[in-house]
Amino acid sequence: MTLGLFDDLPPAPQAPEWLEPGAVVLRGFALPLAADLLQAVAHIEAHAPFRHLVTPGGKRMSVAMTNCGPLGWISERSGYRYGPVDPETGKRWPRMPSLFQQLARDAAEAAGFAGFAPDACLVNRYAPGTRLSLHQDRDEGNYAHPIVSVSLGIPAVFLWGGAQRADKARRVPLLHGDVVVWGGPARLRFHGVLPLREAEHPLTGAHRINLTFRRAG
Ligand code: MD6
Ligand code: FE
């Protein structure tokens, strides 16, 4: 039974789940903003379509990606880099909505990283079967800034590894509205995403959307 009286209240904040010092899962942190975030993604996608990047090694990534903000993350034959222009359109990446900036700042602060001002937001789209193998986020100039990663849509299992690729990775289920922040001593941890299972979400259909905020410049 539910009490109608409480139906309009925001969800109760959940305790942060620390993966290790510097790395935390904030359950449901983005939930109140989810519909607005997805509307903004639709706008971004209309200007900078999702595409499957090819790794410098020549493999097509199963994750579809686009970006917003002053800098976008791209893959080229010569390697990964951040740049102000979308190579597909020749135009600058769409602006980072202030809602995105505020969410990233608030989540980073909740994880102990005050004053985070991202200049890059990588938008990732996963379909069932899409995976992301273990990697480090190491194309940013300055590892003093954390990474903020927002999950929307269908569930995923996040892999949280160690300092070496071969280190045993922990499996962390991520649901719609969950936010993971990693920085400080955990900034260069290996991480990835297991192949997504078939699922449907009322706001995203058969997709997971991940927003990854960085300070790249
Ligand atoms: C996630 N994504 O989707 C985590 N990193 O939950 C990443 O770690 C990531 O999607 C680098 C490039 C693309 C990504
Ligand atoms: Fe990553």
Side-chain angles (χ1 to χ4, degrees):
M1 189 194 82
T2 60
L3 295 170
L5 266 177
F6 300 119
D7 285 353
D8 294 333
L9 293 178
Q14 289 177 258
E17 289 173 25
W18 290 92
L19 297 168
E20 63 177 277
V24 70
V25 183
L26 305 170
R27 296 284 174 201
F29 195 88
L31 208 47
L33 307 172
D36 291 338
L37 295 171
L38 288 166
Q39 198 178 343
V41 169
H43 179 80
I44 291 161
E45 179 185 358
H47 293 268
F50 281 108
R51 79 288 310 262
H52 293 272
L53 297 177
V54 176
T55 67
K59 288 188 186 151
R60 175 186 185 268
M61 294 185 72
S62 65
V63 185
M65 297 183 183
T66 186
N67 292 278
C68 69
L71 292 172
W73 186 79
I74 47 185
S75 177
E76 291 177 333
R77 282 202 164 273
S78 52
Y80 300 110
R81 70 175 176 89
Y82 284 91
V85 170
D86 178 351
E88 293 285 314
T89 65
K91 294 184 295 189
R92 290 184 174 275
W93 299 105
R95 295 175 50 86
M96 193 185 307
S98 52
L99 178 69
F100 282 27
Q101 297 176 44
Q102 194 62 50
L103 170 61
R105 170 178 289 264
D106 291 347
E109 185 166 335
F113 303 100
F116 180 50
D119 58 8
C121 174
L122 175 60
V123 184
N124 300 301
R125 188 183 66 195
Y126 295 71
T130 299
R131 64 193 292 267
L132 190 65
S133 49
L134 281 175
H135 65 279
Q136 295 166 295
D137 290 0
R138 53 183 309 160
D139 304 309
E140 301 75 28
N142 182 346
Y143 302 138
H145 303 288
I147 304 275
V148 174
S149 170
V150 178
S151 293
L152 298 166
I154 69 174
V157 178
F158 187 59
L159 292 172
W160 182 252
Q164 310 292 329
R165 187 182 301 275
D167 291 345
K168 191 170 162 48
R170 175 168 160 187
R171 295 177 176 209
V172 182
L174 292 181
L175 302 178
H176 181 68
D178 291 348
V179 178
V180 187
V181 182
W182 64 98
R187 175 63 180 74
L188 288 176
R189 288 290 177 267
F190 277 89
H191 60 278
V193 178
L194 286 183
L196 260 70
R197 302 172 69 129
E198 296 280 349
E200 290 274 336
H201 188 279
L203 294 182
T204 62
H207 286 127
R208 170 178 186 256
I209 301 289
N210 169 261
L211 309 174
T212 303
F213 294 95
R214 294 95 182 269
R215 180 87 200 175

